[in-house]
């Protein structure tokens, strides 16, 4: 069984990495790159609680939930890429004396923390603040790989990107994943045992699983050797804590008396321990979640005035709905060919931490690209056809992300009487949203200078940001896009009457 689990784990970790590598604009060929996120029951449950809808792709999570009801937390050791990584790293790090391993692998009250984290996340989701993606292991690993690990691997040997991508504030994400991986040095599968909210959810679902590790008490000589290799901290040598068991199967192979088996519980099997949760702690967790709620609902762009720098990808839902769906997985950032999609810091409040925004100094929205909507597992970014994005028939208007504004104090023809037509040349709309007024004005020496001074026609501007990105005034462009006029918002408009956007 252990060998089978290892092959399985290698296969699923490989599949996760494969999807990550092909989730790149150069390799996208219709692969189901969101599969792991769609299989994730915590993503489905969190999204359901906040948006009151279950996006069709997330129904795949039943493929994990239903077997968990019968077989327990098989996902944690057999499918979850972060669990598999933690297991591998723990194995690599932890060659301890048996006496230390017994001590470290026994169940500890700190393992309850993950249930409290799960409770807080679900209460917050129930009230409308979706934060499951911060700690969901699939979203967390995917985000960390995309924002921290793959860019660090970019170089001569690992040329996954055309140019090394940069991600705004990626250091926080890097430190978090490093801490999670290094914690295995001190406690085997620290993340899975202590913190993982998905593990806790599956633990609750596995409580009545008829198939489980069972110990034949007549055969057991109480040597506790099983405990030395246990990855779950579920006390296989005593009364099994089935909600903690990751089904790593190490205990079965370690038992010298052949007293441990996986199967239906039998009369001579050991009994199991109930879930170790204190009612008082659960109440405290609920109160903490209530206290956190106002802090997490501080997105100005969703609930009061639209924020100029919260420019979302094409097809994004209105801001409040977007925040109710986005799990911060960064899949859209990975696939974006221009690296314009960046993890937000506090631009959209604490609630919007690590959700995607366009930062046009970094890239621009490619006119014929709709990839981000195709990979989003929760439809926070709707999958839109190219015709809808650019406003070709049967669509009457293109999708507008925002509007460009000139800063005449920095624009070369306006401020310095230096000819420049870069923004107009780059503008992808037809007719172009940037137009010129030809003027002849006296130069410093009195000689006339012919200039083309640019203007933006807001009804044509789609806010793609290429003008800002290519502006030769490189530190802070002389034309900048803000979110006003974005198609997804009825409020974020420049005028109330008449249609200019
Ligand atoms: S549609 Fe725009 S934002 Fe989305 S992936 Fe393509 S270029 Fe990036
Ligand atoms: S918008 Fe981007 S980060 Fe958010 S769920 Fe969709 S793909 Fe993931």
């Amino acid at each position: 069984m252990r060998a089978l689990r290892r092959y399985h784990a290698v296969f699923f970790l490989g599949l996760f990495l494969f999807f990550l590598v092909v989730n790149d604009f150069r390799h996208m060929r219709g692969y189901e790159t969101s599969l792991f996120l769609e299989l994730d029951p915590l993503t489905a449950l969190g999204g359901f609680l906040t948006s009151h809808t279950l996006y069709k792709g997330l129904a795949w999570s039943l493929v994990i939930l239903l077997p968990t009801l019968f077989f327990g937390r098989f996902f944690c050791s057999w499918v979850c890429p972060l669990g598999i990584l933690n297991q591998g790293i723990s194995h690599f790090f932890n060659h301890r004396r048996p006496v230390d391993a017994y001590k470290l692998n026994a169940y500890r009250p700190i393992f309850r923390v993950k249930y409290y984290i799960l409770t807080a996340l679900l209460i917050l989701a129930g009230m409308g603040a979706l934060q499951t993606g911060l700690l969901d292991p699939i979203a967390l690993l995917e985000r960390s790989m995309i924002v921290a690990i793959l860019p660090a691997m970019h170089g001569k040997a690992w040329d996954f990107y055309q140019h090394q991508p940069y991600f705004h504030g990626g250091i926080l994400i890097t430190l978090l994943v490093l801490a999670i991986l290094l914690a295995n040095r001190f406690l085997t599968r620290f993340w899975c045992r202590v913190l993982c909210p998905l593990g806790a959810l599956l633990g609750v679902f596995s409580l009545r699983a008829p198939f489980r590790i069972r110990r034949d008490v007549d055969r057991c000589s109480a040597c506790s050797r099983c405990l030395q290799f246990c990855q779950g901290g579920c006390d296989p040598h005593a009364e099994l804590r089935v909600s903690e068991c990751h089904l790593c199967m190490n205990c079965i192979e370690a038992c010298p008396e052949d007293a441990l088996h996986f199967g239906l519980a039998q009369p001579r099997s050991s009994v199991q321990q109930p879930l170790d949760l204190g009612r008082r702690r659960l109440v405290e967790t609920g109160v903490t979640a209530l206290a956190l709620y106002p802090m997490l609902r501080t997105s100005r762009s969703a609930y009061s005035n639209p924020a100029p720098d919260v420019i979302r990808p094409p097809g994004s839902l209105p801001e409040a709905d977007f925040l109710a769906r986005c799990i911060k997985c960064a899949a859209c950032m990975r696939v974006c060919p221009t690296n314009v999609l960046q993890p937000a810091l506090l631009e959209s409040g604490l609630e919007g931490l690590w959700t995607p925004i366009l930062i046009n100094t970094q890239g621009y929205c490619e006119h014929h690209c709709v990839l981000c909507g195709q990979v989003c597992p929760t439809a926070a970014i709707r999958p839109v056809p190219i015709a809808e994005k650019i406003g070709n028939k049967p669509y009457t208007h293109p999708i507008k992300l925002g509007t460009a504004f000139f800063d005449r104090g920095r624009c070369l023809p306006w401020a310095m009487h230096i000819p420049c037509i870069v923004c107009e040349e780059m503008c992808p709309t037809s007719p172009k949203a940037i137009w010129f007024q030809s003027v002849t004005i006296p130069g410093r020496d009195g000689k006339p200078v012919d200039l083309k001074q640019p203007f933006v026609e807001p009804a044509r501007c789609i806010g793609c940001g290429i003008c800002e990105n290519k502006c030769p005034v490189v530190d802070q462009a002389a034309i900048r896009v803000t979110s006003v006029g974005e198609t997804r918002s009825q409020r974020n408009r420049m005028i109330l009457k008449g249609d200019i956007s």
Side-chain angles (χ1 to χ4, degrees):
M1 278 292 252
R2 190 166 60 163
L4 181 65
R5 193 257 302 155
R6 282 185 176 157
Y7 290 132
H8 213 273
V10 168
F11 172 75
F12 273 98
L13 183 60
L15 192 64
F16 176 79
L17 295 176
F18 172 74
F19 284 149
L20 208 57
V21 170
V22 297
N23 187 14
D24 175 298
F25 70 97
R26 289 168 299 166
H27 304 308
M28 285 289 286
R29 298 278 187 280
Y31 291 111
E32 185 44 55
T33 53
S34 306
L35 180 71
F36 279 85
L37 289 157
E38 289 173 357
L39 285 174
D40 182 339
L42 186 57
T43 300
L45 181 59
F48 176 74
L49 288 173
T50 43
S51 65
H52 309 294
T53 53
L54 184 60
Y55 180 54
K56 60 180 185 317
L58 299 180
W60 280 109
S61 61
L62 292 175
V63 171
I64 300 299
L65 271 187
L66 292 179
T68 304
L69 287 171
F70 294 95
F71 302 105
R73 285 172 63 179
F74 74 97
F75 180 82
C76 301
S77 282
W78 294 63
V79 181
C80 176
L82 185 55
I84 293 165
L85 262 184
N86 280 328
Q87 181 145 336
I89 292 173
S90 299
H91 181 75
F92 178 75
F93 272 149
N94 298 340
H95 293 288
R96 296 195 163 89
R97 291 179 309 154
V99 62
D100 295 332
Y102 295 143
K103 216 160 78 188
L104 275 175
N105 284 342
Y107 178 79
R108 299 158 180 227
I110 196 179
F111 295 177
R112 289 183 288 208
V113 170
K114 60 181 172 295
Y115 296 100
Y116 301 132
I117 291 176
L118 173 70
T119 308
L121 290 175
L122 293 184
I123 290 175
L124 285 169
M127 292 192 295
L130 183 67
Q131 295 301 327
T132 51
L134 286 179
L135 294 178
D136 177 274
I138 310 288
L140 185 151
L141 185 62
E142 182 137 344
R143 179 173 66 238
S144 307
M145 292 295 293
I146 291 167
V147 171
I149 298 173
L150 287 183
M153 288 161 85
H154 170 89
K156 291 180 181 54
W158 294 91
D159 195 7
F160 286 141
Y161 290 88
Q162 277 186 327
H163 58 92
Q164 178 160 8
Y166 157 85
F167 290 104
H168 178 64
I171 184 70
L172 276 176
I173 297 172
T174 311
L175 291 176
L176 181 63
V177 70
L178 282 181
I180 289 170
L181 298 180
L182 286 175
N184 292 302
R185 176 74 188 82
F186 306 101
L187 183 66
T188 298
R189 292 187 72 162
F190 177 89
W191 164 266
C192 311
R193 289 179 177 185
V194 180
L195 297 175
C196 181
L198 176 57
L201 180 69
L202 296 175
V204 173
F205 273 84
S206 69
L207 271 175
R208 301 257 166 250
F211 291 86
R212 60 182 62 168
I213 301 287
R214 57 185 173 81
R215 183 171 57 97
D216 185 335
V217 287
D218 295 339
R219 284 189 171 196
C220 174
S221 61
C223 68
S224 296
R225 196 167 152 72
C226 49
L227 189 57
Q228 186 186 342
F229 299 97
C230 174
Q231 295 253 343
C234 53
D235 289 349
H237 65 304
E239 294 178 354
L240 183 77
R241 294 174 187 273
V242 72
S243 58
E244 302 300 315
C245 177
H246 300 163
L247 297 187
C248 69
M249 307 295 180
N250 288 354
C251 55
I252 295 179
E253 302 229 345
C255 179
E257 310 294 347
D258 197 23
L260 291 166
H261 299 96
F262 179 73
L264 283 168
Q266 289 174 355
R268 290 187 318 151
S269 308
S270 56
V271 289
Q272 67 149 329
Q273 284 272 4
L275 200 57
D276 177 23
L277 283 185
R279 195 173 299 167
R280 175 183 290 210
R281 291 273 182 277
L282 280 176
V283 173
E284 286 168 3
T285 306
V287 172
T288 310
L290 288 175
L292 282 174
Y293 178 73
M295 275 189 271
L296 288 168
R297 296 285 272 185
T298 50
S299 171
R300 169 164 84 95
S301 53
Y303 312 113
S304 54
N305 288 333
D309 46 359
V310 179
I311 305 172
R312 298 292 188 188
S316 294
L317 300 180
E319 187 65 8
D321 298 337
F322 183 87
L323 293 174
R325 289 258 181 126
C326 177
I327 54 166
K328 312 157 198 276
C329 65
C332 50
M333 299 171 210
R334 164 80 178 141
V335 80
C336 182
T338 70
N339 196 205
V340 68
L341 290 185
Q342 298 285 321
L345 294 175
L346 297 179
E347 291 87 344
S348 186
L350 204 50
E351 188 177 7
L353 181 70
W354 297 337
T355 55
I357 53 171
L358 277 80
I359 297 190
N360 293 318
T361 45
Q362 196 59 32
Y364 56 89
C365 187
E366 181 68 46
H367 197 48
H368 286 91
C369 173
V370 286
L371 288 173
C372 47
Q374 290 175 11
V375 298
C376 180
T378 62
I381 310 172
R382 279 186 306 118
V384 290
I386 293 177
E388 181 179 349
K389 182 182 176 192
I390 62 178
N392 275 1
K393 280 184 184 161
Y395 301 93
T396 49
H397 289 91
I399 293 178
K400 190 171 165 68
L401 310 182
T403 308
F405 292 84
F406 278 104
D407 180 344
R408 290 189 183 181
R410 298 176 70 83
C411 175
L412 301 180
W414 280 106
M416 296 162 204
H417 300 170
I418 297 171
C420 175
I421 55 167
V422 172
C423 50
E424 193 263 357
E425 283 193 320
M426 288 295 157
C427 181
T429 62
S430 175
K432 291 186 183 265
I434 294 176
W435 60 280
F436 294 115
Q437 193 169 50
S438 297
V439 291
T440 303
I441 49 173
R444 189 175 183 182
D445 55 5
K447 288 186 187 153
V449 184
D450 292 331
L451 288 170
K452 289 179 164 186
Q453 290 178 325
F455 293 81
V456 176
E457 187 178 340
R460 299 221 174 271
C461 177
I462 54 173
C464 69
I466 194 167
C467 49
E468 179 175 344
N469 184 259
K470 302 296 181 193
C471 176
V473 187
V474 289
D475 62 337
Q476 188 183 36
I479 180 165
R480 299 193 287 278
V481 174
T482 75
S483 64
V484 71
E486 55 183 342
T487 303
R488 68 189 184 120
S489 168
Q490 290 305 313
R491 273 189 316 127
N492 197 3
R493 297 267 177 261
M494 279 185 273
I495 55 172
L496 294 176
K497 288 189 180 159
D499 183 16
I500 63 158
S501 52

